[in-house]
Amino acid sequence: MSEQMIRIQLPDGSVREVSRGTTAYDVAMSISPRLAAAVVVARIRPLTPVTTGAAVEDETSEAAMYGAAESGERLVDLAVPLMEDVALELLKESDEAALKVVRHSAAHVMATAILELFPETKLGHGPATDSGFFYDVYRETPFSDEDLAAIETRMAEVVARDEKFLREEESREMGLKDYAEQGEFMKVHFIEKFTQPGDEISLYRNGKFVDFCRGPHVPSTGRVKAFKVTSVAGAYWLGDEKNQQLQRIYGTAFFNTKDLDAHFKRLEEIKARDHRVLGKQLDLFSIQEVAGSGLIFWHAKGGLIRKTMEDWMREECIRRGYDMVYTPHIMRRELWKISGHEGFYSQNMYPPMELDDAEYRLKPMNCPGHILIYKNSPKSYRDLPVRYAELGNVYRYERSGTMHGLLRVRGFTQDDAHIFCMPEQVVSEIEGCLDFAEAVLKTFGFNEYRVELSLHDPKKSGEFVGNPGDWEKAESALKNVLTKRSVAFKAIPGEGAFYGPKIDIKLVDVLGRLWQLSTVQFDFNLPARFQLEYKGEDGELHQPVMVHRALFGSVERFFGVLIEHYAGAFPLWLAPVQIGIVPISEKHVDYAAAVKAKLEAAGLRVELDQRNEKMNAKIREFTLQKVPFVLVMGDKEAATEAVSVRTRGKGDEGSVALADFIERAKALVASKSVAL
């Protein structure tokens, strides 16, 4: 094949020879003009293996916006010349990656509109996000709601102009000179940080607007068809309060109005499920400012749900061979130095407390305490595996602006467990942890989840302890377990714990949102740091391997997710009040009290409303509290030992024998059914 020709492999496996410099758009046109009109962006992968793959980048990071393009699989503009043999995918609007690209392009459209309306503004960066896009800008005058509306209107004009997104390149030195002359201090910073002297930098132009950017983009502004500017928030440049106050303007974009409308409908649903609002309405928990941010007060009803969750977890741990332990809330600072937390995790810990005998720190994790219990007595290979579990309170420093209800707190209860085992036992123990994690999700009503394998990054060796060989063995063990179980997973370099790789299980709630809760971690470092031992079958001393696992993640966070997943309408087995009783009049109160006693004797949680209120008002109150069953009783029910059943979400089901209802309710609780 001529040096002027390259090979293009299509998804169906077919290969085409084309001239070097052919674009993805050219390939699409050669297949079908209709296809060329439909595609948005291209994904390419070199057919010649790349020896060093780039780490997965956060698409909202500045590195992903401005750093040198990776050499492996990547997205490119349709107009970029292809200069090597590649596998080529042509992505249409239905592809998730294409949606991120149109949102990034929408950020450029918004920046165009901002500069046309407010030319004194200086630009930061504008990435796509999972829900839309934003652009950080500097302007001394705050943007008003009227300004945001004007920006959105001007964006529509930029879209209507259908300006092509054109990639240009110039020298790093020229870029620095131009941006410095324009006073674009943030662009100067990004060029200096992410490029080297002598580099060429990439710019994207649409109309008169030019932005320093790695791309890719949709072919033209006209492809940004449905968008909305949503809000503005403040942030300091480089996170330093001594620097300029920036304004972050948020928006979202889709390929059509239908998807845009569905997005905002979904946001309304999310708002209606907000656990902070429901927590107050249903009297589940509170955060008292006089006590401090990020500290949770569990009210009676929330505490009842918590007890039910924790009772299930403890019983399940014991059934699966765990020993329940308890460890102190504070421990000597020296312990955290041995564990490595002092050096690798100190920024997330509260400051040391100086007592009369030593410095102490609040524990951010339970693992060192479990290690000390293990080390307190000699162990033989016959004793292993040893599994310690604890619902232990831990404390982590979170900045005041980062707290979010139950989901981001400073003090929480972690359902922590640590397994000490022989190397040949570790695979089966990890499998057992994954079985347990799946049982947690299924029991609490989550049927879908995603799995990520968080690895170390060899380029960031200072952030991880241990030697590369141990990391490779540990990562290989986790990969093998997931592969053996046919679990699809995404590997993410650089996201492992400082002491070992981990499997993160993200549940998917009823609205399709991902929540990071369960984690299983492999640890070869802490056993070495604490010189843990067991006597092997050969009579020699050996070092055990350690597995960390948390399945709720934290009780607080898991409870917050449960509230939003069920919109506060908990399954019967979790509901704090399972049955509300409404006597029609005062003369039916005695029968209602007798019914209450029988229900409670059957182990059900019941509330009787004896207030001198109308029946419908009482029913409405129980309905607003999302009580699963409301039982109404009058003369007919009292005469026949029956109850009139109103079921949450179904309405009036009529009169049934009390005994039959009790059996129904007990069966729903025993099976932990999500349905009523």
Side-chain angles (χ1 to χ4, degrees):
M1 186 174 67
S2 166
E3 292 184 0
Q4 298 305 312
M5 305 296 287
I6 59 173
R7 293 183 301 137
I8 304 293
Q9 179 181 296
L10 299 176
D12 63 3
S14 63
V15 177
R16 298 186 176 206
E17 290 188 8
V18 300
S19 301
R20 191 180 303 274
T22 295
T23 67
Y25 181 79
D26 295 333
V27 175
M29 278 295 292
S30 70
I31 297 172
S32 160
R34 180 177 293 180
L35 174 64
V39 294
V40 177
V41 70
R43 180 185 289 121
I44 63 173
R45 173 176 52 81
L47 292 180
T48 303
V50 178
T51 54
T52 56
V56 174
E57 291 176 334
D58 175 2
E59 290 179 336
T60 66
S61 73
E62 290 136 0
M65 295 285 294
Y66 303 120
E70 65 271 24
S71 57
E73 181 175 286
R74 60 195 186 276
L75 297 178
V76 298
D77 302 319
L78 295 177
V80 167
L82 303 176
M83 306 303 291
E84 60 180 333
D85 297 342
V86 294
L88 172 68
E89 291 181 74
L90 299 167
L91 306 185
K92 299 181 181 179
E93 293 182 356
S94 57
D95 193 284
E96 184 178 350
L99 183 58
K100 284 285 185 73
V101 172
V102 79
R103 286 173 172 171
H104 184 192
S105 299
H108 279 232
V109 170
M110 184 167 72
T112 305
I114 291 170
L115 289 186
E116 289 182 1
L117 293 170
F118 310 100
E120 72 279 10
T121 305
K122 306 303 178 186
L123 299 180
H125 80 304
T129 67
D130 288 337
S131 59
F133 60 89
F134 66 79
Y135 217 115
D136 284 341
V137 301
Y138 172 69
R139 178 174 179 251
E140 290 186 1
T141 305
F143 286 101
S144 65
D145 290 341
E146 291 75 16
D147 292 336
L148 298 187
I151 290 169
E152 186 175 301
T153 299
R154 181 58 63 93
M155 286 177 68
E157 296 176 16
V158 176
V159 170
R161 297 199 298 251
D162 196 22
E163 298 167 346
K164 291 185 180 299
F165 282 106
L166 301 174
R167 181 186 175 94
E168 301 174 354
E169 292 188 352
E170 69 178 20
S171 70
R172 178 181 190 265
E173 291 67 29
M174 181 60 71
L176 287 171
K177 177 178 177 296
D178 289 344
Y179 279 123
E181 290 176 352
Q182 297 165 22
E184 295 283 358
F185 62 95
M186 290 181 280
K187 295 299 182 183
V188 169
H189 168 81
F190 293 139
I191 293 175
E192 290 178 339
K193 182 176 181 179
F194 295 110
T195 65
Q196 300 297 321
D199 284 352
E200 292 281 308
I201 64 171
S202 63
L203 306 167
Y204 274 84
R205 178 186 300 275
N206 59 280
K208 296 180 180 179
F209 176 71
V210 181
D211 201 4
F212 170 48
C213 176
R214 190 170 86 183
H217 286 282
V218 296
S220 68
T221 61
R223 299 298 290 268
V224 184
K225 300 173 184 175
F227 57 88
K228 179 75 176 174
V229 177
T230 56
S231 62
V232 62
Y236 288 107
W237 169 234
L238 301 178
D240 188 339
E241 61 186 15
K242 296 177 183 178
N243 288 340
Q244 296 93 328
Q245 172 83 51
L246 304 183
Q247 298 182 73
R248 176 169 291 184
I249 303 179
Y250 289 93
T252 192
F254 291 87
F255 283 110
N256 56 70
T257 304
K258 179 181 177 182
D259 289 345
L260 181 68
D261 291 342
H263 169 75
F264 284 101
K265 183 177 180 181
R266 183 171 177 271
L267 290 182
E268 287 299 315
E269 179 68 17
I270 291 173
K271 184 178 179 181
R273 292 172 178 267
D274 190 322
H275 74 280
R276 295 165 298 179
V277 176
L278 289 171
K280 184 175 182 179
Q281 289 176 356
L282 303 179
D283 195 23
L284 302 175
F285 72 94
S286 64
I287 299 170
Q288 308 284 344
E289 288 305 316
V290 68
S293 300
L295 302 173
I296 306 303
F297 288 78
W298 293 76
H299 296 196
K301 290 181 178 179
L304 227 170
I305 299 175
R306 172 175 174 160
K307 178 183 181 300
T308 305
M309 293 167 57
E310 292 186 350
D311 286 350
W312 179 88
M313 179 59 75
R314 287 191 176 95
E315 290 169 6
E316 196 68 15
C317 281
I318 292 170
R319 189 179 74 81
R320 292 173 182 264
Y322 290 81
D323 296 315
M324 302 304 301
V325 299
Y326 298 87
T327 57
H329 291 215
I330 63 170
M331 302 180 207
R332 282 188 172 183
R333 187 177 186 182
E334 185 63 29
L335 178 69
W336 305 109
K337 292 179 180 178
I338 297 172
S339 70
H341 289 87
E342 184 78 19
F344 290 92
Y345 203 73
S346 183
Q347 72 276 12
N348 300 111
M349 298 173 69
Y350 281 96
M353 296 176 282
E354 188 169 346
L355 304 183
D356 58 348
D357 62 337
E359 287 186 310
Y360 286 75
R361 297 194 85 158
L362 283 166
K363 66 174 179 179
M365 297 182 183
N366 298 306
C367 34
H370 294 184
I371 288 171
L372 295 184
I373 295 175
Y374 175 92
K375 197 172 181 179
N376 193 58
S377 60
K379 300 292 187 296
S380 160
Y381 71 95
R382 293 186 180 90
D383 301 316
L384 303 185
V386 171
R387 306 182 186 99
Y388 294 140
E390 176 180 13
L391 285 153
N393 293 341
V394 297
Y395 305 89
R396 298 181 187 176
Y397 173 66
E398 300 283 355
R399 293 186 178 276
S400 59
T402 64
M403 255 76 70
H404 182 75
L406 292 167
L407 305 181
R408 193 80 178 263
V409 295
R410 285 175 169 165
F412 57 93
T413 303
Q414 196 165 39
D415 66 315
D416 230 351
H418 297 92
I419 302 168
F420 304 88
C421 61
M422 295 182 285
E424 57 267 30
Q425 296 172 321
V426 70
V427 169
S428 63
E429 290 303 313
I430 292 171
E431 286 186 319
C433 291
L434 293 179
D435 283 335
F436 201 165
E438 289 175 357
V440 169
L441 297 181
K442 181 178 179 181
T443 299
F444 286 87
F446 300 100
N447 299 313
E448 188 180 354
Y449 60 88
R450 303 280 188 273
V451 175
E452 293 178 355
L453 178 58
S454 298
L455 311 171
H456 83 302
D457 186 347
K459 300 174 184 176
K460 301 177 181 178
S461 57
E463 298 179 11
F464 303 93
V465 296
N467 64 68
D470 285 337
W471 275 93
E472 289 175 10
K473 289 178 183 177
E475 292 173 355
S476 178
L478 296 183
K479 288 177 183 176
N480 290 341
V481 171
L482 293 172
T483 302
K484 179 182 176 182
R485 296 171 67 90
S486 300
V487 175
F489 66 91
K490 179 181 180 181
I492 306 182
E495 289 299 313
F498 71 84
Y499 48 76
K502 60 179 179 171
I503 296 171
D504 290 322
I505 300 172
K506 298 185 175 182
L507 65 81
V508 182
D509 74 3
V510 70
L511 295 181
R513 296 175 296 178
L514 289 174
W515 299 93
Q516 169 58 58
L517 297 170
S518 303
T519 183
V520 180
Q521 303 177 0
F522 189 114
D523 185 0
F524 46 82
N525 281 296
L526 289 182
R529 282 176 170 266
F530 283 92
Q531 300 178 339
L532 300 186
E533 296 174 337
Y534 69 91
K535 183 174 285 188
E537 193 171 4
D538 58 3
E540 300 296 323
L541 293 177
H542 301 271
Q543 183 178 292
V545 174
M546 190 173 169
V547 176
H548 306 239
R549 72 108 186 99
L551 305 180
F552 286 152
S554 84
V555 174
E556 285 76 4
R557 183 175 173 82
F558 196 88
F559 184 44
V561 174
L562 277 179
I563 294 172
E564 299 204 358
H565 180 64
Y566 289 113
F570 299 103
L572 188 66
W573 74 282
L574 283 174
V577 177
Q578 296 169 322
I579 301 162
I581 297 179
V582 176
I584 291 178
S585 68
E586 188 175 343
K587 69 177 181 177
H588 305 116
V589 169
D590 288 344
Y591 176 64
V595 169
K596 179 175 184 287
K598 289 184 178 181
L599 291 169
E600 289 177 336
L604 298 166
R605 298 188 286 270
V606 188
E607 188 174 295
L608 168 60
D609 190 340
Q610 301 184 63
R611 295 177 303 158
N612 186 23
E613 295 283 351
K614 292 182 179 179
M615 177 188 72
N616 287 338
K618 296 178 182 181
I619 293 172
R620 182 174 181 274
E621 183 62 29
F622 280 129
T623 301
L624 290 174
Q625 289 298 303
K626 302 181 185 288
V627 175
F629 291 111
V630 178
L631 305 183
V632 180
M633 49 207 68
D635 291 338
K636 176 184 173 183
E637 287 75 25
T640 59
E641 201 164 339
V643 289
S644 181
V645 181
R646 282 168 171 76
T647 303
R648 185 182 63 207
K650 297 180 180 179
D652 190 353
E653 295 186 356
S655 185
V656 300
L658 175 60
D660 291 344
F661 174 78
I662 290 175
E663 289 306 310
R664 173 187 175 186
K666 287 172 62 178
L668 289 172
V669 171
S671 65
K672 295 179 174 53
S673 172
V674 172
L676 296 178

